[in-house]
Every structure is written in C-alpha cells, then in structure tokens.
Amino acid sequence: GVNIALSLWEALEKAERNAGEKIFIIGGGEIYKLALESIIFDEIHITTVFGKFEGTVFFPYFNFSLKTEYELANSQQFFKTEGRNSHSFVIESYIRK
C-alpha cells in the first residue's frame, strides 16, 4: 500500500492519478525548497514557532507579501502556556487567488 517515488516530480505524477484528492508536501527541507521555487501549490499552511532553535535545516524563506498571486486566508496565534505550549506560535494559511 505504499507508493515510492525518487523525486518530487515523480511523486506528484503518481499523486495526480488519484484525482480529486488533496496532495500534501510535508518535507524535508530540499523538497520544500523545490516546491516553493516551482510554485506548484494552490494553498500553503505555515506554522511559525517563536524562539531560538539550533538546527541545520529550516523551512526556506518565501515572502508572500511580494507574491501577488497569494492571499492570507487564515491566521491563528497561540501563546506559550504553562503545561500546554512550550512556545508561542502562529499558523497561517495562504491560498492562490
């Protein structure tokens, strides 16, 4: 029950065979970068966690304010709370106009 693809393009080709279903790209870093450079998406959901973190891979920068073909559809902010959220974060959804 698993489909294996050796590239983003091969995965998208296989996924398109399931017409009518949403396709989600969930990483990693290089896959995100390829998808953003190609602008192959109709909507994107970005979670920004506020804090200082160590790591070697992060989501690529994509300035939606400069991309006139997308608009902010929804934004929800969540605050750091004792026992629930260790960091404040915001979830933003953008859609293609």
Side-chain angles (χ1 to χ4, degrees):
V2 175
N3 288 310
I4 297 173
L6 300 178
S7 70
L8 173 62
W9 312 117
E10 183 182 351
L12 290 172
E13 182 179 296
K14 288 182 177 188
E16 284 179 355
R17 294 181 194 143
N18 298 324
E21 293 184 24
K22 279 193 174 187
I23 300 167
F24 290 87
I25 298 172
I26 56 171
E30 287 300 313
I31 299 297
Y32 286 138
K33 185 178 177 193
L34 283 170
L36 287 172
E37 287 173 352
S38 304
I39 309 181
I40 59 171
F41 51 89
D42 293 321
E43 59 185 76
I44 185 169
H45 307 280
I46 298 176
T47 302
T48 303
V49 180
F50 301 104
K52 188 172 184 178
F53 304 97
E54 292 184 30
T56 57
V57 179
F58 294 91
F59 191 83
Y61 178 74
F62 191 76
N63 188 347
F64 284 95
S65 65
L66 298 178
K67 300 291 183 182
T68 58
E69 64 265 25
Y70 292 93
E71 65 182 340
L72 181 63
N74 189 27
S75 180
Q76 293 180 297
Q77 188 166 3
F78 299 86
F79 296 98
K80 178 180 178 177
T81 57
E82 192 169 323
R84 181 155 181 161
N85 300 325
S86 59
H87 293 83
S88 294
F89 61 97
V90 63
I91 301 173
E92 297 175 314
S93 298
Y94 293 86
I95 57 171
R96 188 184 303 268
K97 293 182 184 177

